[in-house]
Amino acid sequence: MYTEGYLKEKLIKELDAVHVEVTDESDGCGAKFSVLIVSDKFQGKPLLARHRLVNSVLQEELKTIHAFTQKTLTVEQWKAQS
């Protein structure tokens, strides 16, 4: 079972993310997560390429996570939303 903290730490480390929000939507059983990731590694990449990058980072974890939704933003996009 994976925790919000574990996923957040891994995504920050692997994607040089400046901001990560991980929400366990499965009442703590670790089966369903939604994430917001802000990283300059997404710069110039279309949405599908961004999601593939995240999925490759969490390849092992996604074998046991049943539902995973992600929002991927560049630092510029994130600042524009704030």
Side-chain angles (χ1 to χ4, degrees):
M1 181 183 102
Y2 299 104
T3 64
E4 292 175 357
Y6 171 86
L7 294 176
K8 181 176 181 173
E9 208 172 284
K10 184 161 186 178
L11 290 167
I12 289 171
K13 182 180 168 209
E14 299 291 327
L15 297 173
D16 294 326
V18 296
H19 182 81
V20 175
E21 293 174 23
V22 179
T23 307
D24 183 343
E25 299 179 332
S26 61
D27 297 324
C29 77
K32 182 179 177 186
F33 289 94
S34 68
V35 298
L36 165 66
I37 307 161
V38 181
S39 173
D40 278 333
K41 285 202 175 182
F42 300 140
Q43 194 70 46
K45 287 186 170 58
L47 188 61
L48 188 59
R50 293 176 182 195
H51 286 196
R52 284 184 175 146
L53 181 60
V54 172
N55 291 348
S56 70
V57 167
L58 297 178
Q59 189 174 357
E60 273 308 304
E61 292 81 358
L62 291 174
K63 291 177 182 176
T64 57
I65 294 173
H66 300 294
F68 185 79
T69 56
Q70 55 182 294
K71 185 170 186 178
T72 52
L73 301 172
T74 64
V75 174
E76 274 180 29
Q77 290 171 322
W78 186 50
K79 285 180 179 170
Q81 280 189 356
S82 299

